[in-house]
Amino acid sequence: MTTRIFAANWKMHLGPEGARQFMATFLQHYRSLPGREVWFFPSAVALETLANLVRDRPEIRVGAQHVHWEPSGAYTGETSIPMIREAGAAAALVGHSERRHVFGETDEDTARQVRAVLEHGLIPMLCVGETIEQREHGATLEVVVRQLGALAGLDPAQLARVTIAYEPVWAIGTGRTATSRDAAEVHGHIRRWLGQQGAPAETIPVLYGGSVKPTNLRELVTTRDIDGVLVGGASLDPVQWAAMTATAD
């Protein structure tokens, strides 16, 4: 990988005004550096606001936290991919653990979303990861491979447009973080799986997420096969997030 990605998942925080205030402070402290991109996944109502604020900064991308696979229809409460694209989104999270475990999204749902995002010319960031029970039973790789099945059947050109985030469920918002060695093992397995599908495995970004903080960030981003991070709570402080995106390799 020649590009490192620092992605912020704001979850259900910061509306349009909050996004404006955040970005005003963030851009005062942010340094654009070669070989890295900063991605934001804001709330749906703040997406267009944020996209407009960074329109002239190609190294900063904005994406949606969730999308429906249908382009339109009677799906109350859902957001379509054409809608987020019109609002300025370049990417969309797919299969985040909270969508799987809180809202009951299935592997089949994530597969539909991945294909729909690609069909509309955006980047899917597929999230995969195991629960603590699955980890303790030695099923981490089995679970991750099953979830990677959302990419099965895609051709190499389509796979080359995908980004993957390994987020062990037991580490999200808990303060616990997989060791760099544990994360590298899973990331390496993901790359091998991608290679088996005929994908350009070494150039597909594979990020780590799960209680990423300033104190563990550098160790993670300097570990083999980790191409960046997907960060939740620590990305909500604009000064701190600006400093994190400047972390040296």
Side-chain angles (χ1 to χ4, degrees):
M1 277 294 297
T2 56
T3 301
R4 198 166 296 287
I5 297 172
F6 292 77
N9 177 12
W10 283 357
K11 305 191 179 185
M12 200 168 70
H13 301 282
L14 301 181
E17 183 56 32
R20 278 189 285 269
Q21 293 176 5
F22 178 100
M23 196 54 63
T25 302
F26 173 79
L27 291 177
Q28 289 177 356
H29 295 83
Y30 165 72
R31 286 191 302 132
S32 177
L33 296 172
R36 68 185 58 199
E37 295 179 353
V38 180
W39 295 19
F40 288 93
F41 293 94
S43 63
V45 297
L47 193 156
E48 185 172 16
T49 297
L50 198 61
N52 286 334
L53 290 170
V54 298
R55 188 179 301 277
D56 298 326
R57 292 179 174 269
E59 84 284 8
I60 301 179
R61 302 192 188 203
V62 177
Q65 296 177 17
H66 168 68
V67 291
H68 196 280
W69 54 86
E70 292 292 346
S72 62
Y75 301 101
T76 300
E78 292 289 341
T79 304
S80 73
I81 302 166
M83 288 176 180
I84 69 163
R85 186 175 62 182
E86 182 179 345
L93 289 179
V94 177
H96 190 280
S97 65
E98 289 157 8
R99 298 302 312 179
R100 296 178 190 268
H101 298 290
V102 178
F103 297 100
E105 292 188 6
T106 66
D107 292 337
E108 291 74 22
D109 292 335
T110 64
R112 292 188 188 99
Q113 291 164 3
V114 165
R115 283 160 176 74
V117 172
L118 288 170
E119 286 169 4
H120 286 89
L122 303 187
I123 303 168
M125 182 180 287
L126 176 65
C127 301
V128 298
E130 80 284 12
T131 65
I132 189 60
E133 293 82 7
Q134 291 164 335
R135 184 174 186 79
E136 289 175 347
H137 283 85
T140 294
L141 298 182
E142 176 186 345
V143 170
V144 168
V145 168
R146 190 198 77 227
Q147 294 172 343
L148 287 171
L151 307 178
L154 297 180
D155 62 42
Q158 291 173 312
L159 287 168
R161 295 166 49 208
V162 171
T163 297
I164 297 170
Y166 168 56
E167 288 197 303
V169 180
W170 50 269
I172 298 175
T174 65
R176 300 176 61 184
T177 308
T179 67
S180 57
R181 180 176 179 179
D182 290 338
E185 178 186 5
V186 178
H187 281 230
H189 195 82
I190 290 171
R191 288 203 196 283
R192 287 189 291 275
W193 185 90
L194 289 168
Q196 292 167 1
Q197 315 310 307
E202 293 304 317
T203 61
I204 294 175
V206 183
L207 314 186
Y208 173 79
S211 293
V212 177
K213 304 177 288 294
T215 53
N216 60 22
L217 176 58
R218 189 176 187 281
E219 179 182 359
L220 289 166
V221 297
T222 56
T223 298
R224 176 177 173 80
D225 284 324
I226 297 181
D227 302 316
V229 288
L230 177 59
V231 182
S235 72
L236 292 171
D237 179 325
V239 177
Q240 176 174 269
W241 182 234
M244 291 176 72
T245 65
T247 299
D249 292 354

